[in-house]
Each structure stands twice: as C-alpha cells, then as structure tokens.
Amino acid sequence: MDINEILTAKKELKFNTDGKFRILFMTDLHCGRDGSPQLPAGVEALVEHCRPDLVLIGGDTSGCDRHIHCENEADLREVLDSVCGPMEKRGIPWAHVFGNHDDNFGYKKEEQETVYESYPCCVSKRGDVSGVANYVLPIKSHDGEKIAFNVFMLDSHDNLRVMAREQSRPDVLNAVLPVHFAAGRDYAMPYFDQVVSYYECSKALEEFNGAPIPAMMAMHIPVPEVHLAYMNPEECRLNGNTREDIGCGELNSGLFAACVQRGDVKLMCFGHDHQCDFEAEYCGIHFAYGGGMAYDCYCDDDMRGGRVIDLDENMPGKFVTYNVRLRDIVGASADNLKKN
C-alpha cells in the first residue's frame, strides 16, 4: 500500500489554525438534463450557510427517471457544473461516492469518474478494488505534522442482479428470502475485497502516523446494522425522521464488524433512503443519514438539506453532527415548486 499516494491530493485537507474542520454531507441530488433549477440554488444556499472545509456527496447524483438522467459526458458536466459550482468557485474541496442510480442509463461509473476527477476541487479517487471511487481522504493536523482524521469513501454498488450477472452467480438472487431481514430488497453492499482494503489501509495509516487515527465512513446504501438500530430505537438512542423502511441489502459483507474491530470509525453516513434523516448509535459507532436534496425525485420538503459534521483536532474521535434544512435557510422557496 502506497502511503505517499494516499497522502497526495489535489487540494490539501488540513485542520484550521483553531483546530476546527467542518464537513458538509449532501446526498441523493438525483439531477440530470432539464432538472429543477431549484437544486443548484439549494446547494448554493447550503454551502454559503454552512461554509464547510470539505463537501461529501453521498451518491445518486445523476439519474432519477427517463426524463431526468445523464447519458454521456456532456450531460454529466452540465450536472456537475451546476451542483458542484458552489464548491468550485469557492475553492472548497469536494468528493463523492456513487449510488445505485448513477449509471442506470448506460453511462458507466468508470467513465463518469474521469469526469469527476477533472474538476479542480474534486479530491475523489478511483480506487483499485471492486466498484468505482473507493478511497480515503486523510485530514492533517493544523500544523501538517500528523494525520488527525480519516474519511473513508466506499462504493456500495447497485443491486444483487448486477452482482449475479458480473460474477455469473444466479444463486446470489436467492439472498432475499420470504422471511427477510430488513425491507426485503435486493440492494447490494460493499464487497469483501473493499472491506479488506479498508481494514488494511486503516492499519497502514495508523502505523505511518505512529498513533490511532479517528475516522468516519460515507457510502450510499446503509449497512444492515442500521436496520437493527431502526428496530431498537430506544437502545440505540435513535433521533430524527424514519419515514421509510431501511433500504439495506440482505447480504452482509462484514464491513460494520470490521469497523468495530478496528475501532477507528466513529461515524458512518448514508444516503439512499430520502425520507430518513435520523441518527443512532450501535456498538460505539454513530449512524447518520443525510436525508435528501432531490427536487426531481421523491423528497419531503421539510427534510431537504444536508448534514454538518464538525470536528475538533483537540478532541480526537469526538464530533458534533446535525441536519441543516433548506427551509430554515431560505424559507418556503426551498419547497418543490412542481407540487404547486
């Protein structure tokens, strides 16, 4: 594992001189050609209000239905120019993971990744394990001497039909049983080689740093353990909206168990379920949904917005996270005008 390559980024991520660092997590923008003009305006308002040091985009950035989607590079650049323009013009680093809808219309994630990485402030990386855009973003201490925090970004793929086709394993489709674990969906999950890659990268960075490094992880589809928190709200101190079922898959890759064993990941952020924006805690790891930002796909007006994660270099492993609602920033103009 090449530590120097991991530490190399187009834009350096470093705690501010006051020891603070703010992350804004936005997800499920679901935009494409002829998309709602409210979305870029909403992103602009959110970025201006939160003033983050890093923006994370949690997947399903492009694609919604046959009308709102991206089919080629020109379509994707039009989308990214509009929704990532607020970060680009301010010089704010931003990164992304892919969701289960980003390549539904034939424009492959491998090709899309090249477009993403062409943006000056995009610090995403392709990765060399299953999926596209698996990487870690080390955030250095304010003096640049140590790694103070890691942000792991993972591709949670699409659905088990894709996995069955790619691996010629039709038996995988039998994973969803009549008596199922969660909502009984055939969604996918990070594959085992991604879990191993995270685990080995975490260890290597700790050895390089000479000390443990607290971390967070972001992906699109939630891990199955989020459903356990959903079913046990009191024990897991669940707080926030749970207006739809947890859209995790039925196969468990062991990612959460690996995070528990390593002990570095303190927070896992997810998208995918637009009508969930809750927080919960299980086995010492904090779960947090980003809600949704979409105007051309289902999203409740009172939930639309993003999630802030505030880090403090002087309090390793601690963080403060909360949702920021567009309604609270711009009022009723944040609501979907198409409903009127």
Side-chain angles (χ1 to χ4, degrees), residues 268-283:
M268 301 179 84
C269 287
F270 310 100
H272 190 51
D273 302 324
H274 305 185
Q275 292 173 313
C276 289
D277 65 358
F278 65 82
E279 301 173 45
E281 189 167 313
Y282 180 52
C283 295

Side-chain angles (χ1 to χ4, degrees), residues 122-325:
C122 177
V123 292
S124 303
K125 296 183 180 182
R126 184 177 301 268
D128 57 2
V129 290
S130 295
V132 182
N134 296 281
Y135 54 98
V136 59
L137 299 173
I139 304 174
K140 295 180 181 178
S141 56
H142 73 278
D143 58 9
E145 295 297 320
K146 293 283 187 178
I147 302 172
F149 196 83
N150 284 323
V151 179
F152 289 96
M153 307 286 280
L154 272 70
D155 186 349
S156 54
H157 301 278
D158 190 337
N159 58 57
L160 296 179
R161 297 188 303 276
V162 174
M163 184 180 185
R165 183 176 66 249
E166 290 175 346
Q167 300 186 9
S168 301
R169 290 284 307 276
D171 51 323
V172 169
L173 300 177
N174 298 326
V176 183
L177 297 168
V179 179
H180 43 261
F181 171 67
R185 310 285 180 84
D186 67 345
Y187 292 124
M189 66 291 163
Y191 295 173
F192 188 67
D193 65 322
Q194 295 169 263
V195 178
V196 173
S197 178
Y198 146 69
Y199 196 88
E200 294 301 325
C201 183
S202 171
K203 289 200 303 181
L205 286 171
E206 179 179 326
E207 182 177 352
F208 170 82
N209 205 48
I213 308 169
M216 68 168 285
M217 185 175 284
M219 69 192 76
H220 185 68
I221 298 174
V223 294
E225 288 79 5
V226 175
H227 183 69
L228 289 174
Y230 174 77
M231 293 191 298
N232 298 275
E234 183 176 347
E235 293 81 359
C236 296
R237 298 192 293 279
L238 189 147
N239 178 47
N241 290 293
T242 57
R243 298 178 185 171
E244 66 175 304
D245 293 332
I246 306 305
C248 63
E250 295 291 312
L251 285 181
N252 195 324
S253 65
L255 175 62
F256 181 78
C259 291
V260 171
Q261 183 176 349
R262 276 297 300 149
D264 59 339
V265 173
K266 310 300 181 184
L267 170 67
M268 301 179 84
C269 287
F270 310 100
H272 190 51
D273 302 324
H274 305 185
Q275 292 173 313
C276 289
D277 65 358
F278 65 82
E279 301 173 45
E281 189 167 313
Y282 180 52
C283 295
I285 295 179
H286 201 86
F287 298 141
Y289 271 101
M293 277 287 287
Y295 281 93
D296 295 294
C297 191
Y298 80 98
C299 187
D300 290 350
D301 286 336
D302 63 328
M303 290 173 58
R304 189 176 288 109
R307 175 171 290 279
V308 166
I309 302 106
D310 280 333
L311 306 174
D312 189 333
E313 183 184 352
N314 300 309
M315 301 177 65
K318 305 293 184 182
F319 59 89
V320 174
T321 183
Y322 54 90
N323 287 312
V324 177
R325 317 286 191 190

Side-chain angles (χ1 to χ4, degrees), residues 44-66:
E44 173 73 32
L46 200 60
V47 171
E48 175 62 23
H49 176 81
C50 297
R51 297 185 178 276
D53 298 296
L54 172 66
V55 174
L56 304 179
I57 301 175
D60 280 4
T61 304
S62 62
C64 178
D65 55 26
R66 289 292 168 187

